[in-house]
Coordinates of all heavy atoms in Angstrom, one line a residue:
M1 N -6.0 -0.3 6.8 CA -6.5 -1.7 6.8 C -6.4 -2.2 8.3 O -5.5 -1.9 9.0 CB -5.5 -2.5 6.0 CG -5.8 -4.0 6.1 SD -5.2 -4.9 4.7 CE -6.6 -4.8 3.6
T2 N -7.5 -2.8 8.7 CA -7.6 -3.3 10.1 C -6.8 -4.5 10.3 O -6.5 -5.3 9.4 CB -9.1 -3.5 10.4 OG1 -9.5 -4.6 9.6 CG2 -9.9 -2.3 10.2
N3 N -6.5 -4.8 11.5 CA -5.7 -5.9 11.9 C -6.5 -7.2 11.6 O -5.9 -8.2 11.2 CB -5.4 -5.9 13.4 CG -4.4 -6.9 13.8 OD1 -3.5 -7.3 13.0 ND2 -4.4 -7.4 15.1
E4 N -7.8 -7.1 11.7 CA -8.7 -8.3 11.4 C -8.6 -8.7 9.9 O -8.5 -9.9 9.6 CB -10.2 -8.0 11.8 CG -10.4 -7.9 13.3 CD -10.1 -6.5 13.8 OE1 -10.0 -5.6 13.0 OE2 -9.9 -6.4 15.0
K5 N -8.5 -7.7 9.1 CA -8.4 -8.0 7.6 C -7.0 -8.6 7.3 O -6.9 -9.5 6.5 CB -8.6 -6.7 6.8 CG -10.0 -6.3 6.8 CD -10.2 -5.1 5.9 CE -11.7 -4.7 5.8 NZ -11.9 -3.6 4.8
I6 N -6.0 -8.1 8.0 CA -4.6 -8.7 7.8 C -4.6 -10.1 8.3 O -4.0 -11.0 7.6 CB -3.6 -7.8 8.5 CG1 -3.5 -6.5 7.8 CG2 -2.2 -8.5 8.4 CD1 -2.6 -5.5 8.4
Q7 N -5.2 -10.4 9.4 CA -5.3 -11.8 9.9 C -6.1 -12.7 9.0 O -5.7 -13.8 8.8 CB -5.9 -11.8 11.3 CG -5.1 -11.2 12.4 CD -5.8 -11.1 13.7 OE1 -7.0 -11.4 13.9 NE2 -5.0 -10.7 14.8
R8 N -7.1 -12.1 8.4 CA -7.9 -12.9 7.4 C -7.1 -13.2 6.1 O -7.2 -14.3 5.6 CB -9.2 -12.1 7.0 CG -10.1 -12.9 6.1 CD -10.7 -14.1 6.7 NE -11.6 -14.8 5.7 CZ -11.8 -16.1 5.7 NH1 -11.3 -16.9 6.6 NH2 -12.6 -16.6 4.8
I9 N -6.3 -12.3 5.7 CA -5.4 -12.5 4.5 C -4.5 -13.7 4.9 O -4.3 -14.6 4.1 CB -4.6 -11.3 4.2 CG1 -5.5 -10.2 3.6 CG2 -3.5 -11.6 3.2 CD1 -4.8 -8.8 3.4
N10 N -3.9 -13.6 6.1 CA -2.9 -14.7 6.5 C -3.6 -16.0 6.6 O -3.1 -17.0 6.3 CB -2.2 -14.3 7.8 CG -1.3 -13.1 7.6 OD1 -0.8 -12.9 6.5 ND2 -1.1 -12.3 8.6
A11 N -4.8 -16.0 7.2 CA -5.6 -17.3 7.3 C -5.9 -17.9 6.0 O -5.8 -19.1 5.8 CB -6.9 -17.0 8.1
L12 N -6.3 -17.0 5.0 CA -6.6 -17.5 3.7 C -5.3 -18.1 3.0 O -5.4 -19.1 2.3 CB -7.3 -16.5 2.8 CG -8.7 -16.1 3.2 CD1 -9.2 -14.9 2.4 CD2 -9.6 -17.3 2.9
A13 N -4.2 -17.4 3.2 CA -2.9 -17.9 2.7 C -2.6 -19.2 3.2 O -2.2 -20.1 2.5 CB -1.8 -16.9 2.9
R14 N -2.7 -19.4 4.5 CA -2.4 -20.7 5.2 C -3.3 -21.8 4.6 O -2.9 -22.9 4.3 CB -2.5 -20.6 6.7 CG -1.3 -19.9 7.3 CD -1.4 -20.1 8.8 NE -2.5 -19.4 9.5 CZ -2.6 -18.1 9.8 NH1 -1.6 -17.3 9.6 NH2 -3.7 -17.7 10.3
K15 N -4.6 -21.5 4.5 CA -5.6 -22.5 4.1 C -5.3 -22.8 2.6 O -5.5 -24.0 2.2 CB -7.0 -21.9 4.2 CG -8.1 -22.9 3.8 CD -9.5 -22.4 4.1 CE -10.4 -23.5 3.6 NZ -11.8 -23.1 3.6
S16 N -4.9 -21.8 1.8 CA -4.6 -22.1 0.4 C -3.5 -23.1 0.3 O -3.5 -23.9 -0.6 CB -4.2 -20.8 -0.2 OG -3.7 -21.0 -1.5
K17 N -2.5 -23.0 1.1 CA -1.4 -23.9 1.1 C -1.7 -25.3 1.6 O -1.1 -26.3 1.1 CB -0.2 -23.4 1.9 CG 0.4 -22.1 1.3 CD 1.5 -21.6 2.2 CE 2.1 -20.3 1.6 NZ 3.1 -19.8 2.5
T18 N -2.6 -25.4 2.5 CA -2.9 -26.7 3.1 C -4.0 -27.5 2.4 O -3.8 -28.6 1.9 CB -3.2 -26.6 4.6 OG1 -4.4 -25.7 4.7 CG2 -2.1 -26.1 5.4
E19 N -5.2 -26.9 2.3 CA -6.3 -27.6 1.7 C -7.0 -27.0 0.5 O -7.8 -27.6 -0.1 CB -7.4 -27.8 2.8 CG -7.9 -26.4 3.4 CD -8.7 -26.6 4.7 OE1 -8.1 -26.8 5.7 OE2 -9.9 -26.6 4.5
G20 N -6.5 -25.8 0.1 CA -7.1 -25.1 -1.0 C -8.3 -24.2 -0.6 O -8.8 -24.3 0.4
L21 N -8.6 -23.3 -1.6 CA -9.7 -22.3 -1.3 C -10.9 -22.6 -2.2 O -10.7 -23.0 -3.4 CB -9.2 -20.9 -1.5 CG -8.0 -20.4 -0.7 CD1 -7.6 -19.1 -1.1 CD2 -8.4 -20.4 0.8
T22 N -12.0 -22.2 -1.8 CA -13.2 -22.3 -2.6 C -13.2 -21.0 -3.5 O -12.4 -20.1 -3.3 CB -14.5 -22.2 -1.8 OG1 -14.6 -21.0 -1.1 CG2 -14.6 -23.4 -0.8
S23 N -14.0 -21.0 -4.5 CA -14.1 -19.9 -5.4 C -14.4 -18.6 -4.7 O -13.9 -17.5 -5.0 CB -15.0 -20.1 -6.6 OG -16.3 -20.3 -6.1
D24 N -15.3 -18.6 -3.7 CA -15.7 -17.4 -2.9 C -14.5 -17.0 -2.1 O -14.2 -15.8 -2.0 CB -16.8 -17.7 -2.0 CG -18.2 -17.8 -2.8 OD1 -18.2 -17.3 -3.9 OD2 -19.1 -18.5 -2.2
E25 N -13.7 -17.9 -1.5 CA -12.6 -17.6 -0.7 C -11.5 -17.0 -1.6 O -10.8 -16.0 -1.2 CB -12.0 -18.8 0.0 CG -13.0 -19.2 1.2 CD -12.6 -20.5 1.8 OE1 -12.0 -21.4 1.1 OE2 -12.8 -20.7 3.0
K26 N -11.3 -17.5 -2.8 CA -10.3 -16.9 -3.7 C -10.7 -15.5 -4.1 O -9.8 -14.6 -4.2 CB -10.2 -17.8 -5.0 CG -9.5 -19.1 -4.8 CD -9.5 -19.9 -6.1 CE -8.9 -21.3 -5.8 NZ -8.8 -22.1 -7.1
K27 N -12.0 -15.2 -4.3 CA -12.4 -13.9 -4.6 C -12.2 -13.0 -3.4 O -11.7 -11.8 -3.6 CB -13.9 -13.9 -5.0 CG -14.5 -12.6 -5.4 CD -15.9 -12.7 -5.7 CE -16.5 -11.3 -6.1 NZ -17.9 -11.3 -6.4
E28 N -12.5 -13.4 -2.2 CA -12.3 -12.6 -1.0 C -10.8 -12.3 -0.8 O -10.4 -11.2 -0.5 CB -12.8 -13.4 0.2 CG -12.6 -12.6 1.5 CD -12.9 -13.4 2.7 OE1 -13.3 -14.6 2.6 OE2 -12.9 -12.8 3.8
Q29 N -9.9 -13.3 -1.1 CA -8.5 -13.2 -1.0 C -8.0 -12.1 -1.9 O -7.2 -11.3 -1.6 CB -7.8 -14.5 -1.2 CG -6.3 -14.5 -1.0 CD -5.6 -15.8 -1.3 OE1 -6.0 -16.5 -2.2 NE2 -4.7 -16.1 -0.4
A30 N -8.5 -12.2 -3.2 CA -8.0 -11.2 -4.2 C -8.4 -9.8 -3.8 O -7.7 -8.8 -3.9 CB -8.6 -11.6 -5.5
E31 N -9.7 -9.6 -3.3 CA -10.1 -8.3 -2.9 C -9.3 -7.8 -1.7 O -8.9 -6.6 -1.7 CB -11.6 -8.4 -2.5 CG -12.5 -8.6 -3.7 CD -14.0 -8.9 -3.3 OE1 -14.3 -8.9 -2.1 OE2 -14.8 -9.0 -4.2
L32 N -9.0 -8.6 -0.7 CA -8.3 -8.2 0.4 C -6.8 -7.8 0.0 O -6.3 -6.9 0.5 CB -8.2 -9.3 1.5 CG -9.5 -9.5 2.3 CD1 -9.5 -10.8 3.1 CD2 -9.9 -8.3 3.1
R33 N -6.3 -8.6 -0.9 CA -4.9 -8.3 -1.4 C -4.9 -7.0 -2.1 O -3.9 -6.2 -1.9 CB -4.4 -9.4 -2.3 CG -4.0 -10.6 -1.5 CD -3.5 -11.7 -2.5 NE -2.9 -12.8 -1.8 CZ -2.5 -13.9 -2.3 NH1 -2.6 -14.1 -3.7 NH2 -2.1 -14.9 -1.6
Q34 N -5.9 -6.7 -2.9 CA -5.9 -5.4 -3.6 C -6.0 -4.2 -2.6 O -5.4 -3.2 -2.8 CB -7.1 -5.4 -4.6 CG -6.9 -6.3 -5.8 CD -5.7 -5.9 -6.7 OE1 -5.3 -4.8 -6.6 NE2 -5.3 -6.8 -7.5
E35 N -6.9 -4.4 -1.6 CA -7.0 -3.4 -0.6 C -5.7 -3.2 0.1 O -5.3 -2.0 0.4 CB -8.1 -3.8 0.4 CG -8.4 -2.7 1.4 CD -9.5 -3.1 2.4 OE1 -10.3 -4.0 2.1 OE2 -9.6 -2.5 3.4
F36 N -5.0 -4.3 0.5 CA -3.7 -4.2 1.2 C -2.7 -3.5 0.3 O -2.0 -2.6 0.8 CB -3.2 -5.6 1.5 CG -1.9 -5.6 2.3 CD1 -1.9 -5.3 3.6 CD2 -0.8 -5.9 1.6 CE1 -0.7 -5.3 4.3 CE2 0.5 -5.9 2.3 CZ 0.5 -5.6 3.6
I37 N -2.6 -3.8 -1.0 CA -1.6 -3.2 -1.9 C -1.9 -1.7 -2.0 O -1.0 -0.9 -2.0 CB -1.6 -3.9 -3.2 CG1 -1.0 -5.3 -3.1 CG2 -0.9 -3.1 -4.3 CD1 -1.2 -6.2 -4.3
A38 N -3.2 -1.3 -2.1 CA -3.6 0.1 -2.2 C -3.2 0.9 -1.0 O -2.7 2.0 -1.1 CB -5.1 0.2 -2.5
N39 N -3.3 0.2 0.2 CA -3.0 0.8 1.4 C -1.5 1.0 1.5 O -1.0 2.1 1.9 CB -3.5 0.0 2.6 CG -3.4 0.7 3.9 OD1 -3.0 1.8 4.0 ND2 -3.9 0.0 4.9
V40 N -0.7 0.1 1.1 CA 0.8 0.2 1.1 C 1.2 1.3 0.2 O 2.1 2.1 0.6 CB 1.4 -1.2 0.7 CG1 2.9 -1.0 0.5 CG2 1.2 -2.2 1.8
R41 N 0.6 1.4 -1.0 CA 1.0 2.4 -1.9 C 0.7 3.8 -1.4 O 1.5 4.7 -1.5 CB 0.3 2.2 -3.3 CG 0.8 1.1 -4.1 CD 0.1 0.9 -5.4 NE 0.7 -0.2 -6.1 CZ 0.0 -0.8 -7.1 NH1 -1.2 -0.5 -7.4 NH2 0.6 -1.8 -7.7
M42 N -0.5 3.9 -0.8 CA -0.9 5.2 -0.2 C 0.1 5.6 0.9 O 0.5 6.8 1.0 CB -2.3 5.2 0.3 CG -2.8 6.5 0.9 SD -4.4 6.4 1.7 CE -4.1 5.3 3.0
N43 N 0.5 4.7 1.8 CA 1.4 5.0 2.8 C 2.8 5.4 2.3 O 3.4 6.3 2.8 CB 1.5 3.8 3.8 CG 0.3 3.6 4.6 OD1 -0.5 4.5 4.8 ND2 0.1 2.4 5.1
L44 N 3.2 4.7 1.3 CA 4.5 5.0 0.7 C 4.5 6.4 0.1 O 5.4 7.2 0.2 CB 4.9 4.0 -0.3 CG 6.2 4.2 -1.1 CD1 7.4 4.2 -0.1 CD2 6.4 3.1 -2.1
K45 N 3.4 6.7 -0.7 CA 3.3 8.1 -1.3 C 3.3 9.2 -0.2 O 4.0 10.2 -0.4 CB 2.1 8.2 -2.2 CG 2.1 7.4 -3.5 CD 0.8 7.5 -4.2 CE 0.9 6.7 -5.5 NZ -0.4 6.8 -6.2
T46 N 2.6 8.9 0.9 CA 2.6 9.9 1.9 C 3.9 10.1 2.5 O 4.4 11.3 2.8 CB 1.6 9.4 3.0 OG1 0.3 9.3 2.4 CG2 1.5 10.4 4.2
Q47 N 4.7 9.0 2.7 CA 6.0 9.2 3.3 C 6.9 9.9 2.3 O 7.7 10.8 2.7 CB 6.6 7.8 3.6 CG 6.0 7.1 4.8 CD 6.6 5.8 5.1 OE1 7.5 5.3 4.3 NE2 6.2 5.2 6.1
L48 N 6.9 9.6 1.1 CA 7.7 10.2 0.1 C 7.4 11.7 -0.1 O 8.3 12.5 -0.3 CB 7.6 9.5 -1.3 CG 8.2 8.1 -1.3 CD1 7.9 7.5 -2.7 CD2 9.7 8.1 -1.0
D49 N 6.1 12.0 0.0 CA 5.7 13.4 -0.1 C 6.2 14.3 1.1 O 6.2 15.5 1.0 CB 4.2 13.5 -0.2 CG 3.7 13.1 -1.6 OD1 4.5 13.0 -2.5 OD2 2.4 12.9 -1.7
N50 N 6.6 13.7 2.2 CA 7.0 14.4 3.3 C 8.5 14.5 3.5 O 9.0 14.9 4.5 CB 6.4 13.8 4.6 CG 4.9 14.1 4.7 OD1 4.5 15.2 4.5 ND2 4.2 13.1 5.1
I51 N 9.2 14.2 2.4 CA 10.7 14.2 2.4 C 11.1 15.6 2.0 O 10.7 16.2 1.0 CB 11.3 13.2 1.5 CG1 11.0 11.8 2.0 CG2 12.8 13.4 1.3 CD1 11.5 10.7 1.1
D52 N 12.0 16.2 2.8 CA 12.6 17.5 2.5 C 14.1 17.3 2.2 O 14.8 16.5 2.8 CB 12.5 18.5 3.7 CG 11.1 18.9 4.1 OD1 10.3 18.9 3.1 OD2 10.8 19.1 5.3
M53 N 14.5 18.0 1.1 CA 15.9 17.9 0.7 C 16.6 19.3 0.8 O 15.9 20.2 0.3 CB 16.1 17.3 -0.7 CG 15.7 15.8 -0.7 SD 16.1 15.0 -2.2 CE 17.9 15.2 -2.3
E54 N 17.8 19.3 1.3 CA 18.5 20.6 1.3 C 19.3 20.7 0.0 O 20.1 19.8 -0.3 CB 19.4 20.6 2.5 CG 20.1 22.0 2.6 CD 21.0 22.1 3.9 OE1 20.9 21.2 4.8 OE2 21.7 23.1 4.0
Q55 N 19.1 21.8 -0.7 CA 19.8 22.0 -1.9 C 21.2 22.5 -1.6 O 21.6 22.9 -0.5 CB 19.1 23.0 -2.8 CG 17.7 22.6 -3.1 CD 17.6 21.4 -4.0 OE1 18.3 21.3 -5.0 NE2 16.8 20.4 -3.6
E56 N 22.1 22.6 -2.6 CA 23.5 23.1 -2.5 C 23.5 24.5 -1.9 O 24.4 24.9 -1.2 CB 24.2 23.0 -3.8 CG 24.5 21.5 -4.2 CD 25.3 21.4 -5.5 OE1 25.7 22.5 -6.0 OE2 25.4 20.3 -5.9
D57 N 22.5 25.3 -2.3 CA 22.5 26.7 -1.9 C 21.9 26.9 -0.5 O 21.8 28.0 0.0 CB 21.7 27.6 -2.9 CG 20.3 27.2 -3.0 OD1 19.8 26.3 -2.4 OD2 19.5 27.9 -3.8
G58 N 21.5 25.8 0.2 CA 21.0 25.8 1.5 C 19.5 25.9 1.6 O 18.9 25.8 2.7
T59 N 18.8 26.0 0.5 CA 17.3 26.0 0.6 C 16.8 24.6 0.8 O 17.4 23.6 0.4 CB 16.7 26.6 -0.7 OG1 17.1 25.8 -1.8 CG2 17.2 28.1 -0.9
I60 N 15.6 24.6 1.4 CA 15.0 23.3 1.7 C 13.8 23.1 0.7 O 13.0 24.0 0.5 CB 14.4 23.2 3.1 CG1 15.5 23.5 4.1 CG2 13.7 21.9 3.4 CD1 16.6 22.4 4.2
V61 N 13.8 22.0 0.0 CA 12.7 21.7 -1.0 C 12.0 20.5 -0.5 O 12.6 19.4 -0.3 CB 13.3 21.5 -2.4 CG1 12.3 21.1 -3.4 CG2 14.1 22.7 -2.8
N62 N 10.6 20.6 -0.4 CA 9.8 19.5 -0.1 C 9.5 18.7 -1.4 O 9.0 19.3 -2.4 CB 8.5 19.9 0.5 CG 7.6 18.8 0.9 OD1 6.9 18.2 0.0 ND2 7.6 18.4 2.1
L63 N 9.9 17.5 -1.5 CA 9.7 16.7 -2.7 C 8.2 16.4 -3.0 O 7.9 16.3 -4.2 CB 10.5 15.4 -2.6 CG 12.0 15.5 -2.5 CD1 12.6 14.1 -2.4 CD2 12.5 16.3 -3.6
G64 N 7.4 16.4 -2.0 CA 6.0 16.2 -2.3 C 5.4 17.4 -3.0 O 4.6 17.3 -3.9
E65 N 5.8 18.6 -2.6 CA 5.3 19.8 -3.3 C 5.9 19.9 -4.7 O 5.3 20.4 -5.6 CB 5.7 21.0 -2.4 CG 4.9 21.1 -1.1 CD 5.4 22.2 -0.2 OE1 6.3 23.0 -0.7 OE2 4.9 22.3 0.9
K66 N 7.2 19.5 -4.8 CA 7.8 19.6 -6.1 C 7.4 18.6 -7.1 O 7.1 18.9 -8.3 CB 9.4 19.5 -5.9 CG 10.2 19.8 -7.1 CD 11.6 19.8 -6.8 CE 12.4 20.1 -8.1 NZ 13.9 20.1 -7.8
Y67 N 7.2 17.3 -6.7 CA 6.9 16.2 -7.6 C 5.6 15.5 -7.3 O 5.1 14.8 -8.2 CB 8.1 15.2 -7.6 CG 9.4 15.7 -8.0 CD1 10.4 15.8 -7.0 CD2 9.7 16.0 -9.3 CE1 11.7 16.3 -7.4 CE2 10.9 16.4 -9.7 CZ 11.9 16.6 -8.7 OH 13.1 17.0 -9.1
G68 N 5.1 15.6 -6.1 CA 4.0 14.8 -5.7 C 2.7 14.9 -6.6 O 2.2 13.8 -7.0
N69 N 2.3 16.0 -7.0 CA 1.1 16.2 -7.8 C 1.4 15.9 -9.3 O 0.5 15.6 -10.0 CB 0.5 17.6 -7.7 CG 0.0 17.8 -6.3 OD1 -0.4 16.9 -5.6 ND2 0.1 19.1 -5.8
K70 N 2.6 16.0 -9.7 CA 3.0 15.7 -11.1 C 2.7 14.3 -11.5 O 2.3 14.0 -12.6 CB 4.4 16.1 -11.3 CG 4.8 16.2 -12.7 CD 6.3 16.5 -12.9 CE 6.6 17.9 -12.5 NZ 8.0 18.3 -12.8
Y71 N 3.0 13.3 -10.6 CA 3.0 11.9 -10.9 C 1.8 11.2 -10.3 O 1.7 10.0 -10.4 CB 4.3 11.2 -10.6 CG 5.4 11.9 -11.3 CD1 6.3 12.7 -10.6 CD2 5.6 11.6 -12.6 CE1 7.4 13.2 -11.3 CE2 6.7 12.2 -13.3 CZ 7.6 13.0 -12.6 OH 8.6 13.6 -13.3
R72 N 1.0 11.9 -9.6 CA -0.1 11.2 -8.8 C -1.2 10.9 -9.7 O -1.8 11.7 -10.5 CB -0.6 12.2 -7.7 CG -1.5 11.5 -6.7 CD -1.6 12.3 -5.5 NE -0.3 12.4 -4.9 CZ 0.0 12.1 -3.7 NH1 -0.9 11.8 -2.9 NH2 1.2 12.3 -3.2
N73 N -1.6 9.6 -9.7 CA -2.8 9.1 -10.5 C -4.1 9.2 -9.8 O -5.1 9.2 -10.4 CB -2.5 7.7 -10.9 CG -1.3 7.6 -11.9 OD1 -1.0 8.5 -12.6 ND2 -0.7 6.4 -11.9
N74 N -4.1 9.3 -8.4 CA -5.3 9.2 -7.7 C -5.9 10.6 -7.5 O -5.4 11.5 -7.2 CB -5.1 8.5 -6.3 CG -4.6 7.1 -6.6 OD1 -4.7 6.6 -7.6 ND2 -4.0 6.5 -5.5

């Protein structure tokens, strides 16, 4: 997500609190929020998939390889 889109989300939020939004602006705000949430989820999944854990026997297991594809909806 670009910095301009994040700034637009913030501008719409400020405008919503002060003077209200038109129906077109509400639609734009909803679309931008959905894109932002999808981006956060993707980043979180990527971080979680890159976690390595050391087992008691000393082996290293990558959690993304072990669990990542099992629960992935995308």
Side-chain angles (χ1 to χ4, degrees):
M1 173 159 272
T2 65
N3 193 31
E4 292 81 20
K5 287 185 178 183
I6 293 172
Q7 289 175 354
R8 181 65 179 152
I9 290 172
N10 292 331
L12 289 171
R14 284 190 298 275
K15 184 176 179 190
S16 170
K17 290 179 183 177
T18 58
E19 58 191 81
L21 299 175
T22 66
S23 61
D24 288 339
E25 289 172 331
K26 287 180 184 179
K27 183 179 177 183
E28 178 186 7
Q29 184 183 40
E31 290 171 358
L32 288 170
R33 283 181 175 173
Q34 290 296 340
E35 183 179 343
F36 180 79
I37 290 169
N39 193 357
V40 168
R41 286 180 179 158
M42 181 184 66
N43 288 338
L44 179 60
K45 286 179 184 179
T46 300
Q47 287 179 356
L48 293 174
D49 285 346
N50 288 317
I51 294 176
D52 293 330
M53 292 192 59
E54 184 175 354
Q55 302 295 311
E56 291 180 8
D57 63 359
T59 60
I60 304 291
V61 176
N62 180 280
L63 295 182
E65 293 172 3
K66 186 174 182 180
Y67 298 108
N69 293 331
K70 190 183 288 187
Y71 300 106
R72 193 162 298 228
N73 293 334
N74 299 345

